C-alpha cells in the first residue's frame, strides 16, 4: 500500500465520519425527543433506533464509496439517500398513526423496543435496497 492510498483512506474515512455525524444530527432534529439526552438517560429504545439508523447510513456510505471514484459524489449520494430514508420513515409512521393508531416515535421515546426496532428496520431495509442500486 502506498502513502497516497493510506492518505486517501484517511481523507475518505474522515469525510465519511463527518457526514455521518451531520446526518445523525439532522435526524435528531426530526424526532420529537432529544436523542442524545434520551441515550444519556439510558433509553434503550432510542439507543437501538439510533444505532440501526447509523448502521443503515454507514452501509449506504460504504456502498457509495465503493462504487464512486469521486469523494464528493459518494458524499452527495449518501446525503440524498438519507433524505429518501427520512421520507420513507415519515410516510410509514404517518400511515401507521392514521390507520392503526400506532405512534412509533412516541413508543420509542417511551422506551418501547418494538417501536424502535420497527423504525430502525425501515432504515436497514431501505439501506439494503438503496445499496443494491448503487
Amino acid at each position: 500500500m502506498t502513502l497516497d492510498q493510506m492518505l486517501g483512506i484517511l481523507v475518505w474515512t474522515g469525510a465519511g465520519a463527518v457526514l455521518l455525524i451531520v446526518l445523525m444530527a439532522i435526524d435528531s432534529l426530526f424526532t420529537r425527543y432529544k436523542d442524545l439526552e434520551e441515550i444519556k438517560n439510558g433509553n434503550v429504545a432510542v439507543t437501538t433506533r439510533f444505532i440501526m439508523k447509523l448502521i443503515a447510513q454507514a452501509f449506504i456510505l460504504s456502498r457509495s464509496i465503493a462504487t464512486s471514484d469521486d469523494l464528493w459524489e459518494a458524499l452527495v449520494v449518501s446525503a440524498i439517500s438519507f433524505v429518501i430514508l427520512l421520507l420513507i420513515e415519515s410516510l410509514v409512521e404517518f400511515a401507521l398513526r392514521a390507520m392503526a393508531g400506532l405512534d412509533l416515535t412516541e413508543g420509542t421515546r417511551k422506551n418501547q423496543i418494538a417501536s424502535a426496532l420497527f423504525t430502525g428496520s425501515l432504515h436497514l431495509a431501505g439501506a439494503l435496497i438503496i445499496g443494491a442500486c448503487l
Side-chain angles (χ1 to χ4, degrees):
M1 182 171 280
T2 67
L3 179 59
D4 278 350
Q5 290 171 319
M6 288 187 281
L7 289 174
I9 291 171
L10 179 63
V11 169
W12 284 67
T13 302
V18 169
L19 179 65
L20 288 175
I21 290 167
V22 168
L23 293 179
M24 295 312 293
I26 292 169
D27 179 71
S28 293
L29 297 174
F30 286 93
T31 58
R32 294 183 302 225
Y33 51 81
K34 296 182 178 175
D35 284 326
L36 295 180
E37 188 174 309
E38 291 290 334
I39 291 169
K40 189 171 23 173
N41 291 333
N43 187 322
V44 177
V46 170
T47 305
T48 301
R49 174 193 169 272
F50 189 90
I51 289 169
M52 290 176 78
K53 291 182 86 165
L54 180 62
I55 291 168
Q57 281 308 133
F59 177 75
I60 291 170
L61 180 60
S62 73
R63 292 291 302 140
S64 65
I65 288 172
T67 59
S68 178
D69 292 329
D70 181 63
L71 175 60
W72 294 112
E73 178 185 52
L75 297 177
V76 168
V77 167
S78 294
I80 291 169
S81 299
F82 168 78
V83 172
I84 292 169
L85 291 178
L86 194 62
L87 289 172
I88 290 169
E89 177 187 10
S90 298
L91 290 173
V92 170
E93 284 200 26
F94 175 79
L96 288 173
R97 261 193 319 275
M99 295 173 13
L102 179 60
D103 189 337
L104 295 175
T105 300
E106 186 62 20
T108 301
R109 189 192 64 73
K110 290 181 177 178
N111 207 9
Q112 296 173 352
I113 301 297
S115 294
L117 289 172
F118 194 119
T119 303
S121 70
L122 294 172
H123 283 265
L124 290 176
L128 292 171
I129 293 166
I130 290 170
C133 296
L134 298 178

